[in-house]
Amino acid sequence: MMPQKTVEVHSPTAPGRLLRLDYRYLGVALLLLLVEVFIALFVHDDWVRPHGGDVLAAALLYCLVRGIWALPTGVVAGIALLVSYLIEALQYVHLLQRLGWEHWRAARVLLGSRFEWADMLAYTIGVALVLLVEQLRRAGKVADQRVQENG
């Protein structure tokens, strides 16, 4: 069994070990970020860039939060989904235009510029896939423990 690669940090603002750096999740978040940048720069199609990128963005948020805070899987998934929905809602109210940032490319790439219901679905699918992967990962750990106990 592989040792857990985490660093626990005691935060003065939170009791116990709420703040925890998990390099596995942070590494996956970095990998997803690089894929997102690749998609933004080089993929110009009608499906991967607008929808596949949103699926990955929700997974990226999940991995980032999970890599920093020691929270239950469901809570982290909820945070990732709510942040994704919030960003989409800010597009609905034209936040970039209200702030005068619509000409700033980094803001358009990071926050998006156009509300779409399909994006909400893509975020939901992204978080659902993350939960599926986490469930499969846990099931694999349980199976490995049983083999070690019986083996």
Side-chain angles (χ1 to χ4, degrees):
M1 185 180 229
M2 203 157 101
Q4 190 170 6
K5 297 177 182 175
T6 62
V7 174
E8 292 178 359
V9 180
H10 293 280
S11 170
T13 60
R17 298 179 188 150
L18 181 61
L19 185 61
R20 175 212 61 206
L21 299 180
D22 187 326
Y23 294 111
R24 294 169 303 164
Y25 283 102
L26 292 174
V28 173
L30 178 61
L31 178 65
L32 290 171
L33 178 62
L34 293 174
V35 171
E36 288 278 9
V37 169
F38 177 83
I39 289 170
L41 294 176
F42 301 111
V43 178
H44 306 287
D45 69 345
D46 293 331
W47 196 90
V48 172
R49 183 174 176 137
H51 306 298
D54 289 339
V55 169
L56 293 178
L60 173 105
L61 281 171
Y62 174 88
C63 290
L64 185 62
V65 172
R66 188 72 187 243
I68 297 172
W69 287 290
L71 297 169
T73 300
V75 172
V76 176
I79 291 170
L81 195 56
L82 286 175
V83 169
S84 299
Y85 288 169
L86 176 63
I87 291 170
E88 196 67 25
L90 292 173
Q91 293 172 22
Y92 181 77
V93 298
H94 307 288
L95 178 70
L96 294 182
Q97 289 81 3
R98 291 175 189 262
L99 295 175
W101 295 357
E102 69 270 18
H103 301 292
W104 190 33
R105 186 168 201 262
R108 286 194 322 268
V109 169
L110 183 63
L111 297 175
S113 58
R114 196 172 63 238
F115 174 85
E116 292 186 30
W117 284 107
D119 292 350
M120 302 289 259
L121 178 61
Y123 298 137
T124 304
I125 290 170
V127 170
L129 288 173
V130 164
L131 289 172
L132 177 65
V133 168
E134 289 287 13
Q135 183 69 27
L136 293 172
R137 199 171 70 81
R138 267 193 304 263
K141 281 185 179 180
V142 169
D144 287 346
Q145 288 174 346
R146 287 184 184 154
V147 168
Q148 287 180 356
E149 291 170 1
N150 297 327

